[in-house]
Amino acid sequence: MEQIQTFFGYHKALTQLLHSRDFTGQSKRKKLEALSALCGELLKVDNVSIWTLSFCGHHLDREVLYPLVPADRDQGFRLSRDQHQAYFQALDGAEIICAEAVGTDPRTRSFHSDYPTTSKPVASMLDAPIFDGNRLSGVICLENRQTRHWGLDDIACVTAIADTISLLNTHEAWLSSRKELDYITHHDDFTGLLNLRSLRNHIQQQIEQQTQTSFALLWFDIDRLNAINNGMGQKVGDAVVSEVAARLRGMLLPGKEMVARVGGDEFAMIYRFPSEGTAMEEAVETILETVNYPIRVGEQKVQVSASIGISFFPHDGRDVSTLLRHSESAMYHAKACGRRQAQYYNQDISTTAKARFLLESQLTDAIAHDGLSVFYQPIMSADGSAVVSAEALVRWQHETQGFMSPAEFLPLAYEAGLIADLDLWVLERVCRDIQQSHQRGLPMPPVAVNLSADSIMDPLLADKVWDTLQRYQVLGSQLELEVIEDAIKGDSQVLRRTLEELVRMGIKLSIDDFGTGYSSLLRLKNLPFTKLKIDHSFIQDLPRDPDDCAITLSILGMASGLGLKVVAEGVENGEQQAWLQQQGCDYLQGYKYHKPMPIEAFMALLVNG
Ligand code: C2E
Ligand code: CA
Ligand code: CA
C-alpha cells in the first residue's frame, strides 16, 4: 500500500514535469536531462544515465548522465554487445534488469570489471529498456554504489520514464518526417529550388500585404531543350536544367526575391525593383547573359539560351493565376519572336496567346487525322526543260482560317514540339504517293522531303525512315531529304550516324537554304551531303545585284570544289535562268517553271509534259 502511495507521488511529479512550460519547449537533450534528474532525485540513486542503441544494434552510447558531468569530463561512454552479451540479450527480450548485486546477477556480471565508474564500483543496477515500436532503441540505467533492494515503486517509476522517452522519440520522428514532407511539398527534388506551389504561395503573400508594392514575375523557358535531349542525350539535358537552376539561384542580382522551378525546363523569378528608377532592362540583360553562357557537360560544350516572359503586379494582374498566365504567354511571345530574349506582357499577347493555344490543338489534330496535305514543286534540269525531281511541301487547309502558308503554322509546330511529327507525316504521305504512282504504272522522279532540326537530331530518325520505306515498298533512291544549314551546326555523333545510315539506305541528302547560315566548309566536306540549295533570297535579284552575283558565284565554286550539285531556289524569270545556267548551276526550282501543286496535277504534268 505504502509502495502504491509512493508511486502515486512519483507519477504526479513526472506528470508535472512533462506539462511544465520549461519542459515542453526544450530540446530533446534537455528533456532527457530533466527526466534523468527527476528520476535521480525521486529514487535517490547515485547515478541515472540514458543510453541510445546504435543503428546496427551493436552499441549503447551514453546520452545523458545524472548528476550532470561537465561536458569535457563526459567522454561519451559506449558499451558493446560483444562484451556484455547477456545484458544486451535481456534488453532485447524487453526484460527489466533489476540487479541487487551487480557481480552475481548473470545479466550484469560483465560490468563488474569493465564499467565506467569514477570512484566506488557499482553495487546495484536497475535498468529499463526503451522501445520504439518493436525495436529496442535504448535503456535507462539506475546505479547505486551500495547494495539496494529495488521496490515495485522504483520499478514502476523507471518504466514510466522509459515509456516517456519512447514517446518523445516517436514524437521527434513524426516532427522530422513532417519537416521532410514539408520540404518535399515545397521544393523541386531535382534542382532543390522552390516549386510552383511555393511560388504561388509567395506571390499570394505579397499580394495580401498591405503595402502592395509592385514587383515583376519573370517566366523562363530553356530554348530547344527537346532538341538537346534528343541530339545529345537525356543526361546532357538534365545537366543543362540543373546548371541553369544553379545559375539562377547563385546569380547576384539586387532585387531578386525568389527563384522556383515551375516545370521541366521552366523557371520563375520574383524581382522587386531594388531602388527607385532602376530599369528592368538592366536586370533582364544580366539574367540573359547569365543563362546564355555556354554550359560544359563533360567533353561537350552546349550552347543554351532561354526565352523570358515578364508581367508586373499589379499592372498586368492582381491575382496569382492571372500574373502567372500573363508572364507565361509573354514567354511564348519571346519564343515566337526568335527566342533568346525577354518580352513584356501586354494585352495583344493575351489575344494572340489564346488564338495560339487553339491553333496548336487544331494542328495536333490535323497531324493525327490526316488533315494536312502535300504539294509537289518540280525541280528542273539546268536548261529548265525537264523535271528531274520534286520537293514535297506541306499545306494546311484550316477549317475557318482557310489556306495557311507554312510560314504561318510551321513556327507554331516548332514551338509546340509538333514539327518532328509533322515531318514524319509528310514523309509517310510522300511514300504513299510514290507507291500509288508505281501501282498505276506512272513515272515518279525522286522526291525531296524537308526535315526540321528536331527531326534530324532524333536518334531514331533513321529507323523511322527505314520503317516507312518498308511499309510502302519504296526504295531509298526514290527519296531525298533536305536539311536546313542551321540544323546541322554543332558537332554531334548522333547526327553523323543518322546521316550515314540514311545514305546507306540510298537516300540523297541536301543542304537547304544555303547561304543563310554559317556552315564551315570543312564540316560540309565531312558530312555525306550531295546537294546544296541556294536560298531564294540570293536568287531574287540576280543578275542585277552584284553582291548576290558574287555570293552565288562563290557558292557555285565552292560546291564544285566539294563535288556537290547545286539547286537554285526561287527562279522566277528567264534572266535568272540564263545567268544561272551560264554559271554552271545544275538544277532550277521556281515559279518560272511550276508552283507547288497537288499530286494529281503533278502526275498529269509528268504524263502529259
Ligand atoms: P523551302 O524548303 O525553302 O521551300 C521552298 C519554298 O519556296 C516553298 O515555300 C515554295 O513554295 C517557295 N517557292 C518556290 N518557288 C518559288 C519562287 O519562284 N518564288 C517564291 N517567292 N517562292 C518560291 P513554302 O511551301 O511556303 O514553304 C516554306 C518553307 O516551309 C519551306 O522553305 C520549308 O523550309 C518549310 N517547309 C515546307 N514544307 C515542310 C515540311 O514538310 N517540313 C518542314 N520541316 N518544313 C517544311
Ligand atoms: Ca526545302
Ligand atoms: Ca529552301
Side-chain angles (χ1 to χ4, degrees):
M1 196 60 194
E2 196 185 317
Q3 278 181 340
I4 290 179
Q5 284 306 328
T6 320
F7 177 67
F8 282 167
Y10 293 165
H11 187 259
K12 195 171 166 193
L14 179 61
T15 316
Q16 273 170 353
L17 173 72
L18 295 183
H19 291 102
S20 74
R21 216 167 254 224
D22 277 357
F23 186 83
T24 40
Q26 291 291 1
S27 68
K28 186 179 164 202
R29 193 183 168 82
K30 290 270 179 231
K31 284 178 181 163
L32 293 183
E33 282 174 6
L35 284 168
S36 57
L38 179 80
C39 184
E41 282 152 20
L42 290 177
L43 304 190
K44 312 230 166 8
V45 285
D46 292 324
N47 282 118
V48 179
S49 51
I50 297 172
W51 304 69
T52 304
L53 189 70
S54 65
F55 206 70
C56 58
H58 276 90
H59 302 103
L60 279 166
D61 292 301
R62 192 167 75 194
E63 296 274 344
V64 169
L65 177 64
Y66 162 88
L68 265 184
V69 180
D72 57 333
R73 284 190 34 219
D74 183 16
Q75 285 150 8
F77 282 105
R78 167 171 268 207
L79 299 176
S80 89
R81 186 178 282 271
D82 295 341
Q83 282 169 315
H84 305 283
Q85 281 186 9
Y87 177 74
F88 272 76
Q89 250 169 29
L91 294 178
D92 286 337
E95 278 180 41
I96 292 165
I97 302 171
C98 188
E100 247 180 85
V102 168
T104 52
D105 191 309
R107 299 166 299 183
T108 53
R109 204 182 300 150
S110 58
F111 289 114
H112 206 49
S113 52
D114 165 35
Y115 193 61
T117 43
T118 36
S119 48
K120 262 176 103 180
V122 171
S124 302
M125 283 168 78
L126 170 59
D127 291 13
I130 301 165
F131 275 83
D132 289 342
N134 288 330
R135 181 183 170 272
L136 177 71
S137 71
V139 59
I140 175 165
C141 174
L142 276 51
E143 297 162 357
N144 237 20
R145 291 204 189 87
Q146 257 122 39
T147 314
R148 167 162 175 174
H149 170 74
W150 304 102
L152 253 185
D153 45 355
D154 299 327
I155 297 169
C157 179
V158 85
T159 47
I161 292 178
D163 289 347
T164 305
I165 295 170
S166 161
L167 278 175
L168 287 180
N169 288 344
T170 315
H171 183 65
E172 189 169 78
W174 178 76
L175 276 182
S176 85
S177 72
R178 218 178 60 165
K179 251 193 214 154
E180 209 167 287
L181 188 68
D182 194 56
Y183 185 87
I184 293 170
T185 18
H186 290 99
H187 288 79
D188 157 53
D189 59 352
F190 182 61
T191 61
L193 289 179
L194 291 162
N195 58 16
L196 181 59
R197 175 202 291 255
S198 307
L199 176 76
R200 284 180 155 280
N201 291 345
H202 186 88
I203 299 177
Q204 187 59 41
Q205 282 164 11
Q206 299 302 307
I207 292 176
E208 281 167 7
Q209 267 177 15
Q210 292 302 309
T211 47
Q212 294 221 340
T213 50
S214 94
F215 60 87
L217 170 64
L218 289 82
W219 193 277
F220 301 73
D221 187 291
I222 303 177
D223 296 327
R224 301 220 165 132
L225 188 70
N226 237 353
I228 295 176
N229 277 335
N230 285 337
M232 306 174 96
Q234 188 79 32
K235 263 197 184 149
V236 178
D238 285 353
V240 166
V241 170
S242 71
E243 174 64 21
V244 170
R247 286 183 189 180
L248 291 177
R249 181 198 290 138
M251 185 172 47
L252 295 172
L253 180 72
K256 179 179 96 176
E257 204 163 277
M258 84 175 280
V259 177
R261 183 184 185 208
V262 292
D265 59 349
E266 286 176 281
F267 300 89
M269 181 191 285
I270 305 254
Y271 176 83
R272 198 181 289 279
F273 299 96
S275 62
E276 197 68 34
T278 333
M280 186 79 214
E281 283 76 11
E282 274 171 39
V284 165
E285 207 164 293
T286 315
I287 295 170
L288 281 173
E289 241 170 48
T290 311
V291 175
N292 292 351
Y293 196 74
I295 292 176
R296 196 160 264 296
V297 185
E299 294 289 282
Q300 311 193 67
K301 208 159 134 198
V302 190
Q303 183 60 57
V304 279
S305 67
S307 302
I308 307 178
I310 304 168
S311 69
F312 293 96
F313 171 83
H315 184 265
D316 297 328
R318 295 186 153 273
D319 62 275
V320 181
S321 301
T322 312
L323 269 177
L324 290 175
R325 212 173 51 242
H326 288 172
S327 55
E328 192 183 5
S329 50
M331 181 276 291
Y332 277 117
H333 187 60
K335 291 233 176 228
C337 294
R339 308 186 180 90
R340 211 184 168 85
Q341 57 182 284
Q343 286 289 336
Y344 296 89
Y345 173 77
N346 61 46
Q347 208 56 47
D348 297 348
I349 292 179
S350 168
T351 329
T352 8
K354 270 190 211 131
R356 256 185 65 97
F357 285 125
L358 179 66
L359 209 58
E360 198 175 293
S361 72
Q362 290 168 334
L363 182 57
T364 312
D365 202 53
I367 296 171
H369 300 107
D370 289 348
L372 303 172
S373 56
V374 169
F375 274 32
Y376 292 82
Q377 184 177 33
I379 296 175
M380 315 301 289
S381 56
D383 62 359
S385 66
V387 176
V388 289
S389 61
E391 176 174 4
L393 294 158
V394 69
R395 295 293 178 258
W396 187 17
Q397 185 71 32
H398 187 271
E399 277 176 5
T400 52
Q401 299 187 18
F403 170 76
M404 284 185 73
S405 93
E408 285 175 86
F409 68 86
L410 288 183
L412 179 75
Y414 248 106
E415 277 321 316
L418 298 168
I419 189 76
D421 287 345
L422 180 141
D423 287 345
L424 280 182
W425 184 90
V426 172
L427 177 76
E428 173 122 15
R429 175 54 57 98
V430 165
C431 287
R432 197 195 73 178
D433 286 348
I434 295 176
Q435 184 187 42
Q436 285 181 357
S437 76
H438 287 166
Q439 285 166 350
R440 289 158 60 194
L442 299 171
M444 182 78 158
V447 178
V449 171
N450 290 283
L451 287 183
S452 63
D454 281 11
S455 299
I456 201 72
M457 290 303 238
D458 176 1
L460 295 177
L461 177 73
D463 293 345
K464 291 174 184 168
V465 171
W466 178 248
D467 174 65
T468 313
L469 291 176
Q470 293 300 300
R471 270 187 291 121
Y472 293 96
Q473 299 285 298
V474 169
L475 294 172
S477 57
Q478 289 167 295
L479 200 64
E480 295 185 7
L481 294 172
E482 296 185 5
V483 187
I484 59 159
E485 201 186 335
D486 274 350
I488 53 166
K489 70 178 181 205
D491 195 15
S492 148
Q493 289 302 319
V494 179
L495 171 71
R496 182 176 297 274
R497 207 172 33 221
T498 301
L499 296 177
E500 278 162 5
E501 279 176 33
L502 292 170
V503 169
R504 234 176 286 136
M505 294 175 211
I507 299 171
K508 286 212 174 71
L509 303 178
S510 321
I511 299 175
D512 204 356
D513 296 355
F514 192 78
T516 57
Y518 304 94
S519 303
S520 88
L521 268 181
L522 198 68
R523 263 184 68 66
L524 290 185
K525 211 172 100 183
N526 288 326
L527 293 172
F529 286 92
T530 50
K531 258 190 211 169
L532 283 188
K533 297 188 80 175
I534 306 180
D535 190 61
H536 53 73
S537 58
F538 299 107
I539 307 298
Q540 206 167 290
D541 298 323
L542 291 179
R544 266 178 289 276
D545 187 310
D547 288 347
D548 288 350
C549 287
I551 294 171
T552 308
L553 274 178
S554 91
I555 295 177
L556 285 165
M558 188 185 86
S560 92
L562 292 173
L564 299 171
K565 298 279 185 209
V566 177
V567 185
E569 293 183 321
V571 180
E572 293 185 346
N573 57 53
E575 267 185 299
Q576 293 166 337
Q577 175 185 313
W579 191 87
L580 286 161
Q581 193 180 0
Q582 204 179 12
Q583 307 307 332
C585 184
D586 303 281
Y587 308 107
L588 307 168
Q589 176 182 3
Y591 294 171
K592 165 154 179 36
Y593 316 100
H594 303 281
K595 289 198 164 173
M597 57 189 93
I599 181 70
E600 296 76 24
F602 183 51
M603 289 286 102
L605 172 77
L606 290 172
V607 172
N608 306 323

